[in-house]
Amino acid sequence: AQSVSQHNHHVILSEAASLELGCNYSYGGTVNLFWYVQYPGQHLQLLLKYFSGDPLVKGIKGFEAEFIKSKFSFNLRKPSVQWSDTAEYFCAVSSTGNQFYFGTGTSLTVIP
Amino acid sequence: GAGVSQSPRYKVAKRGQDVALRCDPISGHVSLFWYQQALGQGPEFLTYFQNEAQLDKSGLPSDRFFAERPEGSVSTLKIQRTQQEDSAVYLCASSLFGRDRDLGKPQHFGDGTRLSIL
C-alpha cells in the first residue's frame, strides 16, 4: 500500500505571507496526485490535480503545486495567503484501481 | 444541489447497536467510494463500487462493516454491533467514470456522517 506524508500538521501564517505545504508519497510507479481543501464546516473540495505533462500545476484560488518525481513530492504553494485560506489541506495519491490514499492533513490558520 | 448527499449528518448510537449510513452520489456517477476519517487523520479508504458491483472492499476494518449499492446509485454503509473505535466521520465520494477509464479521476465528496458510539 502507498503512504502519503504531510509533515506540517499545523501552520500559522499572517496574511500576505507565502505558503508551502509538503507532501511526499511512497509509490514508485505512475501516480495521480491531488490536493483537497476542507473549509470549516464544509466538505472536501478539489484544489488541483496532476495526471501528466507539466509538473507545475495551477489550481483554484491562486494555489499551485509542483510534482518532483525524483523526490516523490507534490508540494502545495501560494505566494500570498488570505484569511479565507484558513482550512485543512489534504494531499492524496492514486495509482491503480481508483483507490485514493490521503495524508493526515495540514491545518492552516491565517491571521488577519 | 447536485453534490453528493449523505444522511444523517450526525448519528449517536450505543455500543452494540447497528447503524446504517446513506449516500446519494451525483447522478450518473459510476464510481462510489466510502472512507473513514478519524479525528486528526486523513480519510482512509473503506470500499469501492463501480455501478452496483463492489470491486474493492479491502479497507473494511472487520466483518461488522457491510456496504451495498444494489441499483448502482444510492449506497448504504452498515455497521453491526458498533464499537467505540467505530466513532469517526464516514465520507462518501463519487466520480464520473469507472476505474477502467481515467484512473484517478477527481472524486466529489459529501459532507460526511459523524458517528459517535457511546
Side-chain angles (χ1 to χ4, degrees), chain B residues 86-107:
Chain B
D86 300 334
S87 296
V89 175
Y90 289 85
L91 297 171
C92 177
S94 69
S95 64
L96 182 58
F97 298 115
R99 66 180 185 182
D100 56 328
R101 289 183 60 186
D102 298 323
L103 291 179
K105 268 294 187 192
Q107 300 180 7

Side-chain angles (χ1 to χ4, degrees), chain A residues 32 34 36 43 98-100 103, chain B residues 33 35 42 56 103-104 107 111:
Chain A
N32 301 303
F34 306 83
Y36 280 85
H43 58 264
N98 257 0
Q99 186 171 135
F100 273 49
Chain B
F33 306 79
Y35 293 88
D56 188 342
L103 291 179
Q107 300 180 7
D111 289 332

Side-chain angles (χ1 to χ4, degrees), chain A residues 6 8-12 19 21 35-45 47 61 63 76 81-90 105-111:
Chain A
Q6 291 183 243
N8 315 104
H9 297 293
H10 300 281
V11 174
I12 301 174
L19 170 72
L21 302 182
W35 275 97
Y36 280 85
V37 60
Q38 188 168 26
Y39 298 105
Q42 298 187 25
H43 58 264
L44 284 161
Q45 300 172 43
L47 262 184
K61 304 186 180 185
F63 286 91
L76 181 71
V81 295
Q82 301 173 314
W83 175 78
S84 57
D85 294 325
T86 294
E88 190 91 14
Y89 292 81
F90 293 93
T106 297
S107 174
L108 172 65
T109 300
V110 179
I111 302 171

Side-chain angles (χ1 to χ4, degrees), chain B residues 32-108:
Chain B
L32 185 145
F33 306 79
W34 283 98
Y35 293 88
Q36 180 190 60
Q37 186 175 14
L39 191 63
Q41 301 295 317
E44 292 198 6
F45 171 81
L46 293 177
T47 188
Y48 165 67
F49 288 87
Q50 182 169 302
N51 296 310
E52 70 279 2
Q54 189 175 21
L55 299 185
D56 188 342
K57 53 182 181 179
S58 62
L60 296 176
S62 77
D63 59 5
R64 296 187 294 105
F65 286 70
F66 171 77
E68 60 183 5
R69 193 187 185 197
E71 297 179 1
S73 55
V74 171
S75 177
T76 303
L77 176 67
K78 297 179 180 177
I79 309 174
Q80 298 176 324
R81 305 180 303 282
T82 52
Q83 303 293 317
Q84 282 192 322
E85 61 263 28
D86 300 334
S87 296
V89 175
Y90 289 85
L91 297 171
C92 177
S94 69
S95 64
L96 182 58
F97 298 115
R99 66 180 185 182
D100 56 328
R101 289 183 60 186
D102 298 323
L103 291 179
K105 268 294 187 192
Q107 300 180 7
H108 301 267

Side-chain angles (χ1 to χ4, degrees), chain A residues 6-107:
Chain A
Q6 291 183 243
H7 304 294
N8 315 104
H9 297 293
H10 300 281
V11 174
I12 301 174
L13 295 173
S14 297
E15 275 194 318
S18 64
L19 170 72
E20 181 160 2
L21 302 182
C23 174
N24 289 87
Y25 61 93
S26 63
Y27 186 68
T30 301
V31 293
N32 301 303
L33 299 158
F34 306 83
W35 275 97
Y36 280 85
V37 60
Q38 188 168 26
Y39 298 105
Q42 298 187 25
H43 58 264
L44 284 161
Q45 300 172 43
L46 182 68
L47 262 184
L48 49 78
K49 61 188 180 188
Y50 171 81
F51 285 170
S52 63
D54 188 346
L56 184 61
V57 178
K58 295 191 183 299
I60 61 172
K61 304 186 180 185
F63 286 91
E64 64 178 31
E66 185 175 12
F67 170 49
I68 303 179
K69 190 175 182 178
S70 61
K71 295 184 178 179
F72 297 89
S73 71
F74 190 57
N75 293 355
L76 181 71
R77 299 194 293 249
K78 185 171 183 177
S80 175
V81 295
Q82 301 173 314
W83 175 78
S84 57
D85 294 325
T86 294
E88 190 91 14
Y89 292 81
F90 293 93
C91 181
V93 175
S94 72
S95 53
T96 58
N98 257 0
Q99 186 171 135
F100 273 49
Y101 297 90
F102 284 84
T104 54
T106 297
S107 174

Side-chain angles (χ1 to χ4, degrees), chain B residues 9 18 27 83 90:
Chain B
R9 286 296 307 276
D18 298 348
S27 178
Q83 303 293 317
Y90 289 85

